[in-house]
Amino acid sequence: MEKALLLIMDGLGDDAHPTPLQNARKNHMDMLAASGMCGYFHAISPGIAPGSGTAHLSLFGEDVETEYPGRGVFEALGAGLTLTENDVAFRGNFCTVKNGVVVDRRAGRIPSEDVKPLIKAIDGYEYEGVVFHIYPGTNYRAVVVATGKDIGKNVNATDPHETGLPVRECKGTDKPSKKLAKAINAFTSFVYKTLKDHPVNKERVKQGKLPGNMLLLRGAGKMKNITSLFQKLDVKCACVAGAPLYKGVAKYVGMDVLKVKGATGDKHTDIHAKAEAVKKALKTNDLVFMHVKATDSFAHDGDREGKQWMIERVDKEAMAELMKIDDLNIAITGDHTTSCIRKRHTGLPVPLLIYGPHVRQDKCVAFDEISVSKGCLGVLEGHRLIHVLLDLIGKMPEYGS
Amino acid sequence: MEKALLLIMDGLGDDAHPTPLQNARKNHMDMLAASGMCGYFHAISPGIAPGSGTAHLSLFGEDVETEYPGRGVFEALGAGLTLTENDVAFRGNFCTVKNGVVVDRRAGRIPSEDVKPLIKAIDGYEYEGVVFHIYPGTNYRAVVVATGKDIGKNVNATDPHETGLPVRECKGTDKPSKKLAKAINAFTSFVYKTLKDHPVNKERVKQGKLPGNMLLLRGAGKMKNITSLFQKLDVKCACVAGAPLYKGVAKYVGMDVLKVKGATGDKHTDIHAKAEAVKKALKTNDLVFMHVKATDSFAHDGDREGKQWMIERVDKEAMAELMKIDDLNIAITGDHTTSCIRKRHTGLPVPLLIYGPHVRQDKCVAFDEISVSKGCLGVLEGHRLIHVLLDLIGKMPEYGS
């Protein structure tokens, strides 16, 4: 039985010439490109720069318009939480507020050990039957879950997304969401009142650091129980990822999310350990999704060399081994382009390669934003890439036969 | 007036490198590619391997989701039958049942002369107002039409699609379909009772051959009277095909289905006779659809050389002549890819060429799965190919003018 590996290097494509992927030494990926099929991928469509959550949901074959539950859900699932219909989940940031405005959205990248007692001080707050629980993420990041009867997710973020602006008042667009918005505003006041003179923050200020005296919320989401494409087609899938968001999307579509020691979701991640996990998972799964985050993070920081270095690590520490596996179909692409110059996601397509024991061999001999235009795959949008990959492993039913 | 030829080589594309099309000597097609425009075709979309019925319906510009009547209808129309609203049509297979399970789905490829008396013994069976008529196809194949008031087509196949399994009980999902399902189960019992000791079968067993003691049904369909794209645009079309399915789809969309002596729908088909029929039909039609089946059949058998040979036959015995016709636009492609390695339809695109007296001339100089990536047509999906072809002959109205 043929199997499939879907390797996503987050934000893989880039805009400026030459790109980190063009500059990278990546012999193994180039060999796969030369023996296989190349083209471009758009998680949504040309010119649309998607967020990573929607991009992955679309990549996994789901209709984002109807099946996207909100990013908070992915973050919560990725953190190992279970959500019910009474929960609305958010991404949370500990930040610094001064004279009523946000002066640092990450509270000077406040570390986990400082965040822990802050969470303890505000966790479990209740307002008119709505209870707030906070779960720590990495450093300043957290997942916030509001639980209550008849609460809706159609509320705006309290995060102003820029410094120099006040924390936004929360508003809901319908009755259940208005109920939640009211509770969020009460929670926001409570958080500031409780944290502004918290001993941890006093100590931080004394040391010249920014206090984590506020918690910003965004990405409200409510769990939906979908029957994913993988579930409909009975495709057994596993996920090897470090960052919670990707584990969350994977769990949402029914993948088995593996625990991999050393998979950190940043530049220190143990690529070799992830490759070993992929190898093992392929024995009992039809498809394994492997995710590498740092390519995107470097691009957001405008670090071209860092992005190139990360691509080279993946090529050397993962692909050199994985490409040797018999009967393995391999798709390599990104969820979107992240420009090192613009330091944000952009809408240009991501290079794509598909290699397998029985695929066509086109004229493309290198894997980068330009070379793949010689390939035979053209431009695959949204669910189409996963359809092609599942068809290669015999998991797509014949249509209308 | 410019005319159009649409040549479909069934299952033309292939997966592995080099493909039968890459290996084939096909100078005429390569000349057309070099003088014309190339690209790819997907009858449905990337990764979706369609059945031939739906693929052709889509190719002819119809919306498969709403206009597909079920395969049995195409088979019945292709066999020359006329269907009314009281008819449900099926593809039928004479098979061999032993100890309650299907041991050969084709009854040892029982020949037409043996099938004829078997049909005579079971034709006209009636159960509670539902009458079954059986019409012979090639060898073990038949078309079965159930006729009765208020019968529905939403019934499962009795064909288990694999050997070693029992004939499936028929079930309907709504009241009219439940009525038909009940009649089908009675018919199935009757067929076995009648055929198990039929003299033809006794003689076959005596000769060490498998008896045709059961008739399996699948592809239930009910006629729909559609107004096809060709009819809406007043495009006069003719069909030159051997296999009944393709004649059936052609008739369904309003084509004039020509009788061509020697067009058998298999590897023995008289390509030259088909080309002559095309030439003649072009005098009185705007568009002629020519279909060659054996390319697909060879691929299903994993016979790469056979597929290549069939392509070479079409090139030499048809295209050498047809390309000389003045003012003729020629589109050549397949309805789907059929992989000689996987021995099934797959979801990779089919190469496409469009030649005509006044078309663009792109950089593609050979007609195969890889070379056409240099073409200027990109990837055409579903109804788009027929739109391009009809536009070339001035049959597409200007949109919004």
Side-chain angles (χ1 to χ4, degrees):
Chain A
M1 249 300 271
E2 293 184 33
K3 303 284 180 100
L5 164 64
L6 173 61
L7 167 61
I8 299 297
M9 283 183 277
D10 208 286
L12 178 65
D14 215 305
D15 282 5
H17 178 79
T19 68
L21 188 58
Q22 284 181 304
N23 279 339
R25 264 182 79 111
K26 43 166 178 51
N27 296 343
H28 304 98
M29 291 184 205
D30 288 343
M31 279 163 71
L32 294 175
S35 307
M37 314 186 284
C38 289
Y40 291 106
F41 175 65
H42 276 294
I44 307 293
S45 60
I48 305 296
S52 287
T54 44
H56 275 80
L57 191 62
S58 186
L59 169 66
F60 293 154
E62 304 305 322
D63 183 339
V64 174
E65 290 294 327
T66 59
E67 309 297 335
Y68 182 55
R71 176 132 174 191
V73 167
F74 293 155
E75 298 283 353
L77 293 178
L81 306 178
T82 306
L83 298 172
T84 76
E85 55 175 339
N86 292 326
D87 296 322
V88 174
F90 297 86
R91 306 166 68 186
N93 278 15
F94 280 91
C95 74
T96 307
V97 167
K98 205 171 171 181
N99 301 327
V101 302
V102 176
V103 295
D104 189 310
R105 287 180 64 242
R106 299 180 182 92
R109 293 190 179 262
I110 184 169
S112 295
E113 60 268 27
D114 282 4
V115 165
K116 217 170 153 185
L118 299 181
I119 286 180
K120 207 173 163 190
I122 57 173
D123 189 45
Y125 173 79
E126 181 182 338
Y127 179 84
E128 291 186 358
V130 182
V131 182
F132 291 82
H133 282 294
I134 299 101
Y135 304 88
T138 321
N139 302 328
Y140 59 89
R141 296 182 196 93
V143 174
V144 179
V145 179
T147 306
K149 280 205 172 155
D150 305 318
I151 55 171
K153 67 160 189 167
N154 299 315
V155 297
N156 62 274
T158 62
D159 186 343
H161 292 286
E162 283 179 50
T163 52
L165 294 176
V167 178
R168 288 176 68 197
E169 191 194 342
C170 191
K171 287 180 186 171
T173 57
D174 48 58
K175 205 180 156 195
S177 302
K178 279 176 182 161
K179 180 180 173 183
L180 176 59
K182 212 175 146 195
I184 286 174
N185 291 327
F187 174 66
T188 298
S189 300
F190 164 77
V191 168
Y192 183 69
K193 225 166 64 186
T194 310
L195 298 188
K196 71 178 165 55
D197 298 320
H198 191 282
V200 166
N201 281 329
K202 280 187 167 169
E203 179 60 29
R204 283 180 64 81
V205 171
K206 214 164 112 187
Q207 293 176 14
K209 293 175 184 165
L210 290 167
N213 57 14
M214 179 49 88
L215 182 52
L216 299 173
L217 305 185
R218 58 193 166 117
K222 205 163 183 173
M223 185 63 184
K224 289 163 75 98
N225 287 305
I226 67 165
T227 305
S228 72
L229 177 72
F230 297 129
Q231 287 163 336
K232 281 176 203 152
L233 300 180
D234 197 23
V235 183
K236 209 166 173 297
C237 302
C239 160
V240 173
L245 172 64
Y246 309 93
K247 294 183 188 174
V249 192
K251 194 174 283 180
Y252 185 70
V253 298
M255 289 191 188
D256 184 16
V257 177
L258 305 179
K259 277 187 189 145
V260 182
K261 213 182 145 187
T264 54
D266 63 14
K267 65 183 174 184
H268 305 296
T269 197
D270 187 340
I271 298 279
H272 181 71
K274 286 169 91 167
E276 285 301 310
V278 167
K279 256 165 106 169
K280 202 175 150 201
L282 280 168
K283 288 185 183 143
T284 52
N285 287 276
D286 301 308
L287 182 146
V288 178
F289 158 59
M290 173 174 167
H291 183 268
V292 174
K293 178 67 189 168
T295 33
D296 177 66
S297 311
F298 278 121
H300 277 290
D301 292 340
D303 185 346
R304 298 162 59 84
E305 288 72 24
K307 190 172 179 180
Q308 176 184 335
W309 171 78
M310 201 66 206
I311 293 165
E312 290 174 349
R313 276 196 63 199
V314 174
D315 189 70
K316 200 160 53 186
E317 297 168 38
M319 293 321 300
E321 270 301 305
L322 295 177
M323 68 185 278
K324 291 184 201 153
I325 299 172
D326 284 340
D327 290 329
L328 182 61
N329 293 276
I330 301 173
I332 306 180
T333 188
D335 52 346
H336 50 70
T337 286
T338 308
S339 165
C340 286
I341 293 191
R342 294 182 169 86
K343 299 184 186 176
R344 61 169 170 83
H345 302 183
T346 76
L348 291 179
V350 191
L352 163 69
L353 81 77
I354 298 181
Y355 166 83
H358 306 300
V359 300
R360 295 177 183 172
Q361 187 176 18
D362 62 31
K363 302 284 184 198
C364 174
V365 295
F367 182 57
D368 61 59
E369 290 84 344
I370 305 309
S371 301
V372 297
S373 67
K374 284 192 191 160
C376 70
L377 283 176
V379 183
L380 296 181
E381 291 181 12
H383 56 255
R384 294 174 170 203
L385 165 55
I386 202 75
H387 285 187
V388 170
L389 196 58
L390 292 179
D391 177 58
L392 285 174
I393 62 170
K395 283 289 183 180
M396 287 297 284
E398 196 168 298
Y399 178 86
S401 66
Chain B
M1 251 296 274
E2 292 185 33
K3 302 286 180 96
L5 164 64
L6 173 61
L7 167 61
I8 299 297
M9 283 183 276
D10 208 287
L12 178 64
D14 215 304
D15 282 7
H17 177 80
T19 68
L21 188 59
Q22 283 181 304
N23 279 339
R25 263 182 80 113
K26 43 167 178 49
N27 296 344
H28 305 98
M29 292 185 205
D30 288 342
M31 279 163 70
L32 293 175
S35 309
M37 316 186 284
C38 288
Y40 291 106
F41 176 64
H42 274 294
I44 307 293
S45 63
I48 305 296
S52 287
T54 44
H56 276 80
L57 190 62
S58 187
L59 170 66
F60 293 153
E62 304 306 323
D63 183 340
V64 174
E65 290 295 327
T66 59
E67 308 298 338
Y68 182 54
R71 179 134 174 190
V73 167
F74 293 156
E75 298 283 352
L77 293 178
L81 306 178
T82 306
L83 297 173
T84 76
E85 56 176 337
N86 292 326
D87 296 322
V88 174
F90 298 86
R91 307 166 68 185
N93 278 14
F94 280 91
C95 74
T96 307
V97 167
K98 205 171 170 178
N99 301 327
V101 303
V102 176
V103 294
D104 189 310
R105 287 181 63 241
R106 299 179 183 92
R109 293 190 180 263
I110 185 169
S112 295
E113 61 267 27
D114 281 3
V115 165
K116 218 170 151 187
L118 298 181
I119 286 182
K120 207 173 163 191
I122 56 173
D123 190 45
Y125 173 80
E126 182 183 337
Y127 179 85
E128 292 185 359
V130 182
V131 183
F132 291 83
H133 283 294
I134 299 104
Y135 304 88
T138 321
N139 301 328
Y140 58 89
R141 296 183 195 91
V143 173
V144 179
V145 179
T147 307
K149 281 206 169 153
D150 304 319
I151 55 171
K153 68 159 188 167
N154 300 315
V155 296
N156 63 273
T158 62
D159 186 343
H161 292 286
E162 282 178 50
T163 53
L165 295 175
V167 178
R168 288 176 68 197
E169 193 194 340
C170 191
K171 287 180 185 170
T173 56
D174 47 58
K175 205 180 157 197
S177 302
K178 278 177 184 161
K179 181 179 173 183
L180 177 59
K182 212 175 147 195
I184 286 174
N185 291 327
F187 174 66
T188 298
S189 300
F190 165 76
V191 168
Y192 183 68
K193 224 167 64 187
T194 310
L195 299 188
K196 70 178 165 57
D197 297 320
H198 191 283
V200 166
N201 281 330
K202 280 189 168 168
E203 180 60 30
R204 282 181 64 82
V205 171
K206 213 164 110 185
Q207 293 176 15
K209 294 175 183 164
L210 290 168
N213 56 15
M214 179 49 89
L215 181 53
L216 300 173
L217 305 184
R218 60 193 165 118
K222 206 163 184 174
M223 185 64 184
K224 289 165 76 99
N225 288 304
I226 67 165
T227 305
S228 73
L229 178 71
F230 296 129
Q231 288 163 335
K232 282 175 202 153
L233 300 179
D234 197 22
V235 182
K236 209 165 171 301
C237 301
C239 160
V240 173
L245 172 65
Y246 310 94
K247 295 182 189 175
V249 192
K251 193 174 283 179
Y252 186 70
V253 297
M255 289 190 187
D256 184 17
V257 176
L258 305 179
K259 277 188 186 143
V260 182
K261 213 184 144 187
T264 55
D266 63 14
K267 65 182 174 185
H268 304 298
T269 197
D270 187 340
I271 299 279
H272 183 70
K274 286 169 92 167
E276 286 301 312
V278 166
K279 256 165 107 172
K280 201 174 151 201
L282 280 168
K283 288 185 183 143
T284 52
N285 287 276
D286 301 309
L287 181 147
V288 178
F289 158 59
M290 174 174 165
H291 183 267
V292 174
K293 178 66 188 168
T295 33
D296 177 65
S297 310
F298 277 121
H300 277 289
D301 292 340
D303 185 346
R304 298 162 61 86
E305 288 73 24
K307 190 172 179 180
Q308 176 185 336
W309 171 79
M310 201 66 206
I311 293 165
E312 291 174 348
R313 276 195 64 200
V314 173
D315 190 69
K316 201 160 53 184
E317 297 168 37
M319 293 322 300
E321 271 304 295
L322 295 176
M323 66 185 279
K324 291 183 201 153
I325 300 172
D326 285 340
D327 291 328
L328 183 61
N329 293 277
I330 300 172
I332 306 180
T333 188
D335 51 345
H336 50 70
T337 286
T338 309
S339 166
C340 286
I341 292 191
R342 295 186 167 86
K343 298 183 186 177
R344 61 170 171 85
H345 301 182
T346 76
L348 291 179
V350 192
L352 163 69
L353 81 78
I354 298 181
Y355 165 83
H358 307 300
V359 299
R360 296 178 182 170
Q361 188 176 16
D362 63 29
K363 301 284 185 199
C364 176
V365 294
F367 182 56
D368 61 59
E369 291 85 346
I370 304 309
S371 300
V372 297
S373 67
K374 283 192 191 160
C376 69
L377 285 176
V379 183
L380 298 182
E381 290 183 13
H383 57 257
R384 294 173 174 200
L385 165 55
I386 202 75
H387 285 188
V388 170
L389 196 58
L390 293 179
D391 178 57
L392 284 173
I393 61 169
K395 283 289 184 180
M396 287 296 284
E398 195 168 301
Y399 179 87
S401 65

